[in-house]
Amino acid sequence: IRTYSMKDLQTLLCGVKVTQRQTDCINLLLEGATIKEIAARLKISPRTVETHIDLLKTKFHAQNKSELIIKLLSYKASKQI
């Protein structure tokens, strides 16, 4: 599984601005990690992870985490980076 840098993700996601922590969450979401697993790996609380994901859902106009992941995967497939 490929891990993307902030620069790669911003190119991949058509210029949508994401923070480093949001980038970390995206990478782990695309690996299939749960909220608790993401929190443990990033050494932050699950609630903080939920906040990052909520902000990502807003940026990508996603109704829920599943839709966010689908949108992220579709961006990934369309750009092939």
Side-chain angles (χ1 to χ4, degrees):
I1 295 176
R2 179 167 178 186
T3 300
Y4 295 98
S5 69
M6 268 181 57
K7 183 178 177 183
D8 286 345
L9 271 176
Q10 287 179 351
T11 300
L12 173 70
L13 303 173
C14 303
V16 174
K17 300 293 183 190
V18 292
T19 67
Q20 182 60 54
R21 276 300 197 207
Q22 290 170 344
T23 300
D24 296 339
C25 289
I26 288 170
N27 283 318
L28 293 169
L29 276 174
L30 293 178
E31 287 179 15
T34 66
I35 299 289
K36 287 182 181 181
E37 291 167 341
I38 293 169
R41 287 184 57 187
L42 298 180
K43 296 180 174 59
I44 57 178
S45 77
R47 182 64 194 120
T48 302
V49 174
E50 289 173 357
T51 298
H52 289 306
I53 291 173
D54 286 342
L55 291 169
L56 288 166
K57 288 189 301 192
T58 299
K59 289 180 181 188
F60 293 100
H61 309 286
Q63 302 256 335
N64 52 50
K65 188 173 74 168
S66 297
E67 185 178 348
L68 174 64
I69 292 168
I70 290 167
K71 286 185 177 208
L72 292 169
L73 289 171
S74 72
Y75 281 115
K76 179 181 169 184
S78 69
K79 294 293 181 179
Q80 296 298 316
I81 68 169

